[in-house]
Amino acid sequence: VRFPEDLEDDNTTFNPEYSHQVFGDDEVAFGYKGLKILLYYIAGNLSTLFRIEYTSKVNEKFDCVEADDVESKIREIIPPGFCTNTDDFVSLLEKEVNFKPFGMLLHTYSVHNEEAGEDITYQIYKADMTCPGFREYHERLQTFLMWFIETASFIDVDDERWNYFLVFEKYNKDGATLFATVGYMTVYNYYVYPDKTRPRVSQMLVLPPFQGEGHGAQLLETVHRYYMSSPTVLDITAEDPSENYVKLRDFVLVKLCQDLLCFSPGKLIQGFSQEMVMEAQQKLKINKHHTRRVYEILRLRATDMGDAEQSRSYRLDVKRRLIGPYKKKQRELAKMRRCLRPEELTNQLNQIDLNMQHEQLEESFQQLVSDYRRVLERLAQA
């Protein structure tokens, strides 16, 4: 909500992707007709209005059952101090002009908005719990995780090893410049013996009204650039990354790596090298596993897949990496031959069908190339 009229505007409304963490695996609130759970957030500081509406509700006379206590379930997620009536919420909205982003400004960029016909400015900040008011703001911000990340959990904000990176949109209201929350990322700094840290991306969310505009890539690249300048950082990883995050990371890391000398077309054709691993880690804080994916994407760009020899060379190179898990199975099988009874061995052999492995390997390769091409298409448009 930026303006009072937004309260009645369905265009500013978005629905949760998940609600199982609040309402169970069936995602059902029992005992209501026409139930609406309404959560409004002021665009900048995320002050909250919470309201429940329904046309009817079962009572105890109805087969001795009770309706679910929806309000208590929501109160477990949203922090205390929220509004329950619109007038209080609108009076808070009038004070929004005083809200300013927390922490240190790291990056400013603009995105062209077709609907508005103008470029809109966005800024990325790094904050921590020492910033006045940030703890309370973060409590409101993290409530979105429950609705948009499938396995989300709230973090221990008293642990000083957390870093917070926030994206805001700058907009004008009655001649004043205001800020709207776009998304954020939390990063945990793990200790690596003897004197390094390994930042691990924990949670990353761009709010639905801003998705598809490139903010995730801007945020991840800014976070990488922030850590790149630190001599104590070993490399940057992610905790249990989603498929979408992996695709985003591929794009950002390829964009960062493509100008390194070790990834020049001549060197790519020679194959994956230790030089690539060293340079990507030292200059860009990218680990070996991610560097290998970057190499495969950039080598695909440098390969003429219409040329039979080049295409075969690329396919064999990628499949040599993909075949690793299958080779592990073969080693396990060799051990089994030595210690299993014949009937047990037959059972295990049935699970390791070589023809099936080749089919799976080819399928994995084709899927990978398809994903890599999408990264390269996005890179060409960037």
Side-chain angles (χ1 to χ4, degrees):
V1 176
R2 303 182 187 200
F3 307 94
E5 51 268 30
D6 291 343
L7 286 161
E8 308 300 327
D9 185 358
D10 286 344
N11 290 327
T12 62
T13 299
F14 51 93
N15 297 314
E17 285 182 33
Y18 307 103
S19 60
H20 64 275
Q21 299 206 87
V22 182
F23 295 107
D25 290 344
D26 294 332
E27 300 188 315
V28 169
F30 171 78
Y32 299 85
K33 273 188 180 175
L35 176 64
K36 282 186 178 179
I37 301 166
L38 303 162
L39 280 166
Y40 302 86
Y41 291 84
I42 292 176
N45 70 18
L46 303 179
S47 293
T48 312
L49 166 63
F50 168 46
R51 219 168 53 220
I52 293 175
E53 295 176 0
Y54 51 87
T55 52
S56 63
K57 174 181 174 181
V58 301
N59 55 41
E60 287 184 18
K61 293 173 189 170
F62 182 81
D63 285 344
C64 298
V65 295
E66 285 185 53
D68 288 346
D69 188 351
V70 171
E71 186 168 331
S72 289
K73 289 176 186 287
I74 301 296
R75 281 174 178 266
E76 285 177 15
I77 295 174
I78 59 174
F82 56 84
C83 301
T84 53
N85 72 72
T86 306
D87 290 343
D88 290 345
F89 187 71
V90 170
S91 69
L92 286 176
L93 186 59
E94 290 167 2
K95 300 172 185 172
E96 178 72 347
V97 68
N98 300 318
F99 173 76
K100 295 292 180 282
F102 302 93
M104 171 176 66
L105 175 63
L106 297 180
H107 179 52
T108 300
Y109 63 99
S110 61
V111 175
H112 186 71
N113 185 287
E114 293 289 342
E115 196 176 315
E118 62 181 1
D119 288 348
I120 295 176
T121 301
Y122 298 87
Q123 293 184 328
I124 298 175
Y125 289 77
K126 178 191 171 287
D128 58 48
M129 287 299 156
T130 63
C131 302
F134 179 65
R135 180 183 289 264
E136 293 75 17
Y137 166 84
H138 177 262
E139 283 185 356
R140 299 188 290 272
L141 175 62
Q142 70 179 351
T143 61
F144 287 104
L145 297 176
M146 288 297 168
W147 311 114
F148 295 103
I149 295 181
E150 192 172 4
T151 56
S153 59
F154 293 163
I155 62 175
D156 176 12
V157 295
D158 292 319
D159 190 331
E160 294 176 357
R161 286 176 289 187
W162 284 107
N163 283 341
Y164 308 83
F165 298 88
L166 311 157
V167 187
F168 293 96
E169 176 195 334
K170 289 176 78 173
Y171 70 99
N172 292 315
K173 180 180 178 182
D174 302 328
T177 299
L178 278 77
F179 294 86
T181 300
V182 171
Y184 82 118
M185 178 191 286
T186 55
V187 180
Y188 191 78
N189 295 292
Y190 279 92
Y191 167 70
V192 179
Y193 180 84
D195 59 353
K196 301 281 186 188
T197 58
R198 173 173 279 134
R200 180 189 284 179
V201 176
S202 173
Q203 295 154 329
M204 179 179 182
L205 177 66
V206 174
L207 296 177
F210 303 97
Q211 288 174 7
E213 298 177 353
H215 301 296
Q218 290 281 356
L219 178 56
L220 186 55
E221 183 176 342
T222 299
V223 168
H224 257 273
R225 291 192 182 281
Y226 171 77
Y227 287 117
M228 273 158 44
S229 61
S230 172
T232 61
V233 169
L234 185 65
D235 53 36
I236 302 163
T237 61
E239 178 186 335
D240 193 19
S242 67
E243 196 175 309
N244 286 336
Y245 179 83
V246 170
K247 290 174 182 176
L248 175 69
R249 181 175 64 198
D250 282 344
F251 167 72
V252 169
L253 298 191
V254 169
K255 187 178 173 213
L256 289 170
C257 286
Q258 62 182 344
D259 295 325
L260 293 180
L261 285 175
C262 62
F263 288 107
S264 62
K267 294 198 173 183
L268 288 165
I269 298 302
Q270 293 171 27
F272 188 55
S273 67
Q274 188 61 25
E275 181 191 2
M276 294 172 183
V277 175
M278 296 292 290
E279 195 168 355
Q281 184 174 46
Q282 288 170 2
K283 293 184 178 176
L284 303 175
K285 311 298 183 184
I286 300 172
N287 68 25
K288 183 178 181 178
H289 172 69
H290 300 157
T291 303
R292 172 71 199 203
R293 283 182 71 92
V294 168
Y295 153 75
E296 290 177 5
I297 295 167
L298 288 174
R299 179 163 176 186
L300 177 62
R301 186 170 71 176
T303 300
D304 178 2
M305 294 299 278
D307 180 294
E309 184 52 42
Q310 286 191 43
S311 174
R312 180 176 178 277
S313 176
Y314 179 74
R315 190 171 65 252
L316 288 174
D317 188 38
V318 174
K319 283 187 175 181
R320 267 195 295 270
R321 176 180 66 81
L322 292 176
I323 207 168
Y326 299 104
K327 284 188 172 177
K328 185 182 177 188
K329 279 187 180 178
Q330 295 301 324
R331 289 194 297 272
E332 288 171 355
L333 182 58
K335 287 180 186 175
M336 289 173 194
R337 287 186 193 281
R338 294 194 295 271
C339 59
L340 288 184
R341 294 195 301 272
E343 62 271 21
E344 291 174 324
L345 185 60
T346 303
N347 184 40
Q348 290 296 327
L349 281 169
N350 290 338
Q351 295 178 31
I352 308 175
D353 181 273
L354 288 176
N355 288 333
M356 190 182 291
Q357 284 184 15
H358 286 303
E359 285 175 20
Q360 289 172 345
L361 193 62
E362 180 61 25
E363 200 176 297
S364 297
F365 173 74
Q366 294 299 340
Q367 181 60 53
L368 210 58
V369 168
S370 175
D371 290 343
Y372 288 175
R373 287 195 193 282
R374 277 195 286 273
V375 172
L376 293 171
E377 283 166 14
R378 184 175 179 184
L379 201 63
Q381 295 164 3

